[in-house]
Amino acid sequence: MSRWRPPAEKSTALITAQGHQRLKAELDDLWRVRRPEVVKALAAAAAEGDRSENAEYTYRKKQLGEIDRRVRYLTKRLESLRVVDTVPSDPQAVFFGAWVELENVDSGDVSRYRIVGPDETDAGAGWISIDSPLARALLKKRVDDEFEVELPSGRTGFAVLTVAYEAHAAEQPAR
């Protein structure tokens, strides 16, 4: 049996201004704070002698590799991202950055989501990737539009209740 897998689909290179700032802050923290701490701890572990049986040395080497991998990824990713910080020309329709309130047609449950880039998704906050099936189905919909989407739980119908792009909508918690 082969281990070959087709390459993953390219993710959309869009991000909100807040998401971009968070990624830059993470990169800065990794590079200026966490990496120097790990390098210092690695040097101390290496000074203890035999490295072949030194668990602290092995752990710190692995930790340094993980930090370096994340730094490389963030450096490349930040270069390729396009920050979207403007309201679309048609604010009544759903586009990137929109806060959308949906009603499940079958159950009547109301959910609130924000469409964001794949690098800033947060299910707990209701931030869904623009690459997700729900977000793709939502694009260009307007208030009172009904649509169906194939979700992991099956085909589900939704109705759009509200669409907002205001900055204050970002502080409102997800329902």
Side-chain angles (χ1 to χ4, degrees):
M1 179 172 224
S2 173
R3 290 183 180 206
W4 183 85
R5 286 187 170 72
E9 289 184 33
K10 291 268 186 194
S11 59
T12 305
L14 297 177
I15 193 165
T16 63
Q18 302 94 336
H20 192 259
Q21 289 296 13
R22 270 194 305 279
L23 288 183
K24 283 175 50 178
E26 179 186 354
L27 177 60
D28 189 56
D29 179 61
L30 286 171
W31 190 249
R32 297 183 193 276
V33 179
R34 300 233 359 250
R35 192 175 193 284
E37 290 172 356
V38 172
V39 167
K40 186 188 289 184
L42 179 64
E48 291 176 9
D50 185 12
R51 295 178 185 174
S52 65
E53 296 180 15
N54 189 335
E56 179 72 12
Y57 177 80
T58 304
Y59 171 73
R60 294 301 180 177
K61 284 287 285 186
K62 182 179 178 196
Q63 193 177 26
L64 185 61
E66 290 169 358
I67 289 172
D68 286 346
R69 233 179 333 276
R70 183 69 178 163
V71 165
R72 273 192 308 275
Y73 171 78
L74 287 174
T75 302
K76 286 181 179 178
R77 187 67 178 162
L78 283 168
E79 289 173 2
S80 68
L81 290 173
R82 187 171 65 108
V83 178
V84 177
D85 57 359
T86 58
V87 175
S89 57
D90 183 6
Q92 304 302 313
V94 177
F95 292 105
F96 184 84
W99 282 95
V100 183
E101 202 167 77
L102 300 176
E103 179 182 4
N104 184 316
V105 176
D106 300 327
S107 68
D109 293 340
V110 175
S111 304
R112 185 172 171 82
Y113 299 104
R114 183 173 190 204
I115 299 176
V116 295
D119 298 291
E120 52 187 330
T121 59
D122 180 355
W127 291 28
I128 60 172
S129 170
I130 191 162
D131 296 332
S132 70
L134 180 59
R136 289 282 179 207
L138 264 170
L139 291 177
K140 299 183 182 176
K141 299 290 186 275
R142 299 173 173 282
V143 174
D144 294 332
D145 282 357
E146 289 191 13
F147 64 97
E148 285 191 352
V149 62
E150 189 66 41
L151 299 176
S153 59
R155 195 138 190 89
T156 309
F158 291 99
V160 179
L161 300 178
T162 63
V163 177
Y165 290 93
E166 309 88 53
H168 72 274
E171 280 80 45
Q172 295 178 0
R175 287 192 202 181

